[in-house]
Amino acid sequence: SEMLAQSLQDEVRSEMLAQSLRDEVKSEMLAQSLQDEVRSEMLAQSLRDEVKSEMLAQSLQAEVKSEMLAQSLQVLEAYPELQPWFTAEQARARGAVPIVPLPG
């Protein structure tokens, strides 16, 4: 009877220990899952920030080009004699080989 009681106590202790280990494993798996989710969210946020930054850069480039074009047009209005040179520069910027007439 004493041995049976001891055996039952050992079995109960063993089952409690097993349950405790299972709970710990579940807890560790949950913690790992949450860490992965946080990493994933941080990566997503980083990518969103990068996209916003790239969009802002493109917007600023477009604004600069627009400002440069406006200034070029003001210069051409003030100095119409620069038109042939300006046209040749535009062609060169596009990769064309401009044909510039020889003076005289």
Side-chain angles (χ1 to χ4, degrees):
S1 173
E2 183 69 28
M3 285 176 63
L4 182 58
Q6 186 62 44
S7 175
L8 284 174
Q9 282 178 346
D10 290 348
E11 201 172 318
V12 166
R13 273 195 211 104
S14 177
E15 183 52 43
M16 287 172 65
L17 180 60
Q19 187 59 49
S20 174
L21 287 172
R22 285 193 292 265
D23 290 347
E24 202 172 316
V25 166
K26 279 185 197 153
S27 178
E28 181 56 39
M29 287 171 66
L30 180 60
Q32 189 60 51
S33 174
L34 287 172
Q35 284 173 349
D36 291 347
E37 205 171 313
V38 166
R39 277 194 206 106
S40 178
E41 182 53 39
M42 286 171 68
L43 179 60
Q45 187 61 50
S46 174
L47 288 173
R48 285 192 291 263
D49 291 347
E50 204 171 313
V51 166
K52 280 183 194 156
S53 177
E54 181 57 34
M55 287 170 67
L56 180 60
Q58 287 181 5
S59 173
L60 287 172
Q61 285 173 350
E63 208 172 308
V64 167
K65 282 182 187 164
S66 176
E67 181 59 33
M68 288 172 68
L69 181 60
Q71 288 179 5
S72 296
L73 290 174
Q74 287 174 350
V75 167
L76 286 178
E77 284 174 11
Y79 304 99
E81 65 273 12
L82 291 176
Q83 179 67 47
W85 175 86
F86 186 74
T87 305
E89 279 302 303
Q90 282 184 313
R92 187 174 13 263
R94 285 193 303 270
V97 179
I99 299 170
V100 182
L102 294 172

